[in-house]
Amino acid sequence: MNKYSIKKPYALFWLVIPFIVVIGILKKSQVFSLEVTDLYFELPFLQFGIFIAFVCAFLGLCYWLLRKIGLQNRLTLIHVLATLALALFLMIRFGTNKMEAIDVNVFRPTSDLRAYYEQNELAISVLVFFISAQLLFIVNIGLTLFKRNKA
């Protein structure tokens, strides 16, 4: 067994689900807000936590169903660690009070506005990395099937 391997990646995904749901419940009075050019997305944190928990459950189910084909160890390790770290980072780091998110048209001092835009850029970057990590999972499946058919 390679030292860079996870024997049961599905168990890690399923293990983190209760933590994500608990964080969502604790932050249920907050919202996850994201501004992309002229679009403004706002999602209550409890529903955002449930969505992230469903993503983790789905990925755990995929790893459980694919456990017999032997995925690439390093790609699996990178995908699992990146996905779980970014999911927990999204849940812990972000969230604003509902009134702060609603009052976007109210005049704010420049420092508050700068901090708001920096947080928004960080959230977009983390979401892009999160989606990229999911593409790595698809690449992992493709490489495994390609090597299996070649052999």
Side-chain angles (χ1 to χ4, degrees), residues 1 11 41 54 59 65 76 82-83 85 91 94 108 121:
M1 184 62 64
F41 299 103
F54 273 122
L59 289 171
L65 291 173
T76 299
T83 300
M91 292 299 297
F94 296 102
R108 295 181 180 172
E121 288 174 2

Side-chain angles (χ1 to χ4, degrees), residues 81-136:
L81 293 179
T83 300
L84 294 179
L86 292 171
L88 289 173
F89 183 75
L90 281 171
M91 292 299 297
I92 292 170
R93 171 67 172 88
F94 296 102
T96 58
N97 292 327
K98 288 181 183 177
M99 292 309 296
E100 290 177 10
I102 292 171
D103 295 337
V104 291
N105 295 323
V106 174
F107 174 74
R108 295 181 180 172
T110 307
S111 61
D112 288 347
L113 193 58
R114 187 175 304 127
Y116 170 76
Y117 284 127
E118 287 173 0
Q119 180 176 355
N120 191 45
E121 288 174 2
L122 181 63
I124 291 171
S125 300
V126 170
L127 285 172
V128 166
F129 285 130
F130 187 80
I131 293 168
S132 300
Q134 305 324 305
L135 294 175
L136 186 65

Side-chain angles (χ1 to χ4, degrees), residues 67-92:
R67 70 187 183 278
K68 298 292 182 190
I69 67 169
L71 295 171
Q72 303 290 318
N73 290 329
R74 288 188 180 165
L75 289 178
T76 299
L77 179 70
I78 293 169
H79 173 253
V80 169
L81 293 179
T83 300
L84 294 179
L86 292 171
L88 289 173
F89 183 75
L90 281 171
M91 292 299 297
I92 292 170

